Amino acid sequence: MQFRFRSVWAGAAAAVLTVGALTVGVAVAQQKTIAIGTGGTGGVYYPMGGGLAAVLSKAIPGMQATAEVTGGSVDNLKLIGSGQSEVGFSMVDAALDAYKGEDKFRGGKVEVRTLLVLYPNRMHVVTIEGTGIETMADLKGKRVSTGSPGSATEVMAFRVIEAAGLDKDKDLKRERLGVAESVNAIKDRKIDAFFWVGGLPTAAVTDLGATPGVKIKMIDHADTVDKMNAKHGPLYAADTIKAGTYPGQDKDNKITVVWNVLVTNDKMSDQMAYDIVKAIFDKKDELVAVHKEAASIDYKNQLKANSSTPWHPGALKYFAEKGVQM
């Protein structure tokens, strides 16, 4: 009897363990992990991406989202194209290149789809007093960072430089640094100026302006917009970084801007795309708490004209339900 009792107990225990394993297996199967391509730690994509990962993980049952440090838009689009990331931040000019298979995506077209329009990205051309740089023309012969490899800063910087009548290879002593590295380099007088396209304020640029003994200077370049649009399509607009946006910035800075979008590929299900967009609008306040640029995530900005690539059907379904006229 004792032996028989133990046998029954062992069998029951095995059954419980089997059921438990099956339950865990189902839970694991239902869990969906997604990677969000962001940017460097000194910009806006990374903190906003971290906020987005937290929102999606909390708001969508079974989803675990993580924010990944990347080189920026170009890297994000390539990661989406290879299936290593499901979602990414991008500027619309880089997204269009990816969709067409042009420039940095030559031979590697990406079936990119827009989930929603985020906020306008502002091009910063930054220097400090003592470099002799007052205008774009003064960059000639100077040590200039045009952004990290794999970034949309680099894509747009090259276009601004060309539209300003300069040759990026012949006229500049060019470095390829991210915004945080650019700020450190200019503090150490290793470079004279840098390009950075991002939201306001960008933490690294704020850090530069607040550095004792340093006087920040922002170079006007809004007059390049027409030439850029004539060559690349209506992607860019003129805008202003208001005086006082950064410590020591004592006058308005006339600049170029381009929209940021959140993108995926054509393989994402309609339901998942719908759920992601819904979660972002439902939890917008949580994103604004992470970075104030999230305040620009607005139904009025969800226009087909504000994105250079096709919209995901799941996103379109959500906006249609909300009565958004795109």
Side-chain angles (χ1 to χ4, degrees):
M1 289 293 293
Q2 188 178 19
F3 175 78
R4 188 177 302 167
F5 173 79
R6 287 178 178 173
S7 296
V8 170
W9 182 90
V16 170
L17 290 172
T18 300
V19 171
L22 287 172
T23 302
V24 172
V26 170
V28 170
Q30 291 175 342
Q31 185 81 11
K32 175 62 177 177
T33 301
I34 69 167
I36 302 170
T38 63
T41 56
V44 176
Y45 281 179
Y46 181 69
M48 192 177 289
L52 176 60
V55 163
L56 297 183
S57 297
K58 183 168 61 175
I60 302 177
M63 178 174 286
Q64 182 62 48
T66 58
E68 308 288 344
V69 177
T70 70
S73 296
V74 175
D75 272 1
N76 295 342
L77 291 159
K78 288 182 176 179
L79 289 168
I80 285 172
S82 65
Q84 293 173 268
S85 291
E86 286 74 25
V87 176
F89 289 75
S90 178
M91 287 163 35
V92 295
D93 49 2
L96 182 61
D97 285 346
Y99 183 68
K100 290 184 173 181
E102 296 177 350
D103 200 355
K104 294 180 181 292
F105 300 89
R106 199 170 303 279
K109 180 179 177 180
V110 180
E111 287 297 337
V112 60
R113 298 292 184 268
T114 299
L115 290 170
L116 75 158
V117 175
L118 294 167
Y119 62 93
N121 240 3
R122 282 87 168 182
M123 174 57 80
H124 300 54
V125 184
V126 183
T127 186
I128 57 177
E129 279 193 351
T131 61
I133 300 171
E134 301 288 340
T135 68
M136 288 292 295
D138 295 332
L139 292 175
K140 190 170 184 177
K142 301 294 186 179
R143 300 165 299 173
V144 181
S145 171
T146 53
S148 61
S151 69
T153 292
E154 189 175 66
V155 172
M156 190 170 173
F158 288 173
R159 294 176 181 182
V160 171
I161 290 165
E162 181 184 37
L166 297 169
D167 186 299
K168 63 180 174 61
D169 298 313
K170 296 178 181 178
D171 292 332
L172 308 180
K173 297 172 184 176
R174 190 158 56 84
E175 300 289 342
R176 304 176 76 192
L177 306 173
V179 64
E181 294 78 14
S182 292
V183 166
N184 289 333
I186 205 167
K187 285 181 184 179
D188 294 337
R189 304 305 195 265
K190 293 179 180 178
I191 62 173
D192 302 302
F194 66 87
F195 286 77
W196 161 251
V197 63
L200 299 179
T202 291
V205 181
T206 297
D207 173 62
L208 177 64
T211 302
V214 169
K215 172 66 172 174
I216 197 172
K217 295 176 72 175
M218 313 283 284
I219 306 304
D220 291 344
H221 60 279
D223 57 353
T224 61
V225 167
D226 289 345
K227 287 185 178 178
M228 291 168 68
N229 285 341
K231 181 169 183 178
H232 303 287
L235 299 171
Y236 305 101
D239 204 350
T240 301
I241 298 178
K242 295 292 186 183
T245 300
Y246 294 107
Q249 182 198 349
D250 53 17
K251 63 178 183 178
D252 290 351
N253 178 212
K254 301 182 187 308
I255 62 159
T256 56
V257 299
V258 64
W259 281 103
N260 287 301
V261 286
L262 192 69
V263 296
T264 185
N265 61 30
D266 61 339
K267 296 180 179 63
M268 178 174 280
S269 71
D270 289 0
Q271 187 61 53
M272 180 174 288
Y274 178 96
D275 289 344
I276 288 173
V277 176
K278 182 179 187 301
I280 290 170
F281 278 94
D282 286 350
K283 304 294 183 180
K284 176 181 169 179
D285 288 349
E286 295 182 24
L287 294 175
V288 174
V290 173
H291 199 287
K292 69 178 186 179
E293 281 288 13
S296 294
I297 300 173
D298 196 295
Y299 290 125
K300 69 181 181 182
N301 293 329
Q302 308 308 313
L303 304 173
K304 290 184 178 179
N306 284 348
S307 178
S308 58
T309 56
W311 288 70
H312 196 288
L316 292 177
K317 178 185 176 185
Y318 174 81
F319 292 126
E321 289 180 2
K322 292 297 180 179
V324 177
Q325 301 295 317
M326 303 178 69

